[in-house]
Amino acid sequence: MFKIINIIIIYLIPIVPKSIIKIFANNYVAGTSIKESLQIVNKLNNQNLSVTLDILGEHTKSKSECFEITNNYKEILKEINNNNLDCNISIKPSHIGTDINSNLFKNNLQSILDQAIKYDNFVRIDMENSKLTDTSISAYKSLKNNNIGIVFQAYLYRTEDDINKLDVKSNIRLCKGIYNESPQIAIKDPYKININYLKLLKNALSNNIYVGIATHDKKLIKQSLAIIDEMKVDKNKFEFQMLYGVPMQSVINDLLNKNYKVRIYVPFGINWYDYSIRRIKENPNISRYVIKNFFLK
Ligand code: FDA
């Protein structure tokens, strides 16, 4: 019964006006401007949390927009430096050019990376759907230095091989994977995804690869910590990463008390609506509040 109510709620969410969604979006999205996002970064830094900033958006269709987004990322890197913030950036390849051509993407990424090198900062290439996996890995490998990293998804069968082919001193974020991929290429059983996640984590750490352990799955975090303990991995060889707004405070406090590094992925920008709808749908409690606010006002 509860499941059916949740499904109905998910269908009702798109008819809720943007003004109501915006109230809840504020939990997941750090405003629409660079200035607003940096205020949130500052607030999180004051709680001993590191941050990675992401400009919301994907599949940009015009060259000029790709350049504009590239310039915004460069501006962010400058502002992070000017304000002495503990923050790097995360970029979706399709946001800066892959839908137009892979050279445009690589050139834009190179230009952002140059700025990151100038300010001794770091660029993470987010991983999108499997059509972009090769392009993303190839760009990462061609640009690779200490200032750039990439993401791998534990649900893809290919990931084990991809991680095994990385150089030592690579820097990866390991996540479960969010896109709806075919069973030919992706593990579908959540339990098996977790088993693969832990195997990949072990492989990466034993190859001296820096890992951002990106999950809100409390059991998986515990199991990752057990691996880290067992392998006696140095604290500067990994960090934990979570999405802004996902209620993980007690886990975060626990990790910080044990002196582990925790980084919050903070998205912001004018394309806040679609992202917020996804987050709200993932959280049945918030979905129920949104619907109640709309129909009972
Ligand atoms: P799982 O889905 O099992 O969730 C564990 C618990 O957390 C559940 O109780 C769930 O309800 C709660 N939870 C999870 N997400 C929530 C949310 N948004 N709101 C409220 N509760 C939530 N994927 C990808 O394909 N490419 C990428 O580049 C990235 N990047 C990335 C960065 C960071 C920092 C994180 C944390 C995640 C990603 N992801 C990603 C997304 C990732 O692949 C995965 O889909 C989500 O993190 C959900 O999986 P969990 O590991 O959290 O476990």
Side-chain angles (χ1 to χ4, degrees), residues 96-185:
I96 57 166
T98 52
D99 279 17
I100 297 163
N101 65 61
S102 61
N103 272 345
L104 179 71
F105 158 58
K106 277 192 193 166
N107 291 340
N108 285 339
L109 187 60
Q110 175 77 69
S111 152
I112 297 169
L113 179 60
D114 289 343
Q115 181 88 326
I117 292 169
K118 177 175 166 190
Y119 293 122
D120 194 20
N121 206 323
F122 183 83
V123 178
R124 171 87 54 200
I125 308 169
D126 280 342
M127 189 59 81
E128 300 184 72
N129 67 51
S130 57
K131 285 186 193 143
L132 287 169
T133 312
D134 282 328
T135 308
S136 306
I137 295 175
S138 136
Y140 172 62
K141 288 191 170 170
S142 69
L143 299 178
K144 195 185 159 295
N145 69 15
N146 290 339
N147 303 73
I148 190 163
I150 193 166
V151 178
F152 285 103
Q153 297 152 322
Y155 64 13
L156 289 187
Y157 291 114
R158 61 174 285 170
T159 298
E160 182 173 3
D161 196 36
D162 288 333
I163 290 182
N164 285 341
K165 284 185 189 149
L166 290 177
D167 292 345
V168 280
K169 294 205 171 154
S170 292
N171 185 319
I172 68 169
R173 172 193 300 148
L174 187 59
C175 64
K176 291 188 186 180
I178 192 93
Y179 300 89
N180 190 13
E181 302 290 357
S182 101
Q184 264 88 46
I185 61 164

Side-chain angles (χ1 to χ4, degrees), residues 128-255:
E128 300 184 72
N129 67 51
S130 57
K131 285 186 193 143
L132 287 169
T133 312
D134 282 328
T135 308
S136 306
I137 295 175
S138 136
Y140 172 62
K141 288 191 170 170
S142 69
L143 299 178
K144 195 185 159 295
N145 69 15
N146 290 339
N147 303 73
I148 190 163
I150 193 166
V151 178
F152 285 103
Q153 297 152 322
Y155 64 13
L156 289 187
Y157 291 114
R158 61 174 285 170
T159 298
E160 182 173 3
D161 196 36
D162 288 333
I163 290 182
N164 285 341
K165 284 185 189 149
L166 290 177
D167 292 345
V168 280
K169 294 205 171 154
S170 292
N171 185 319
I172 68 169
R173 172 193 300 148
L174 187 59
C175 64
K176 291 188 186 180
I178 192 93
Y179 300 89
N180 190 13
E181 302 290 357
S182 101
Q184 264 88 46
I185 61 164
I187 308 168
K188 289 292 177 183
D189 177 345
Y191 177 75
K192 289 186 181 156
I193 294 174
N194 281 19
I195 291 180
N196 199 39
Y197 190 105
L198 295 169
K199 182 179 178 190
L200 297 170
L201 177 65
K202 258 190 203 167
N203 285 358
L205 291 172
S206 54
N207 288 341
N208 209 20
I209 290 168
Y210 186 96
V211 187
I213 302 167
T215 180
H216 315 101
D217 183 334
K218 291 176 189 164
K219 190 168 170 204
L220 195 57
I221 291 173
K222 241 189 194 164
Q223 289 168 319
S224 301
L225 281 169
I227 288 175
I228 283 160
D229 267 3
E230 187 190 302
M231 292 175 67
K232 298 191 173 37
V233 185
D234 218 78
K235 280 198 166 101
N236 65 13
K237 294 303 298 176
F238 64 92
E239 65 187 43
F240 291 89
Q241 298 186 353
M242 297 173 203
L243 300 177
Y244 181 59
V246 178
M248 293 293 288
Q249 204 54 54
S250 67
V251 178
I252 290 174
N253 290 345
D254 240 37
L255 292 169

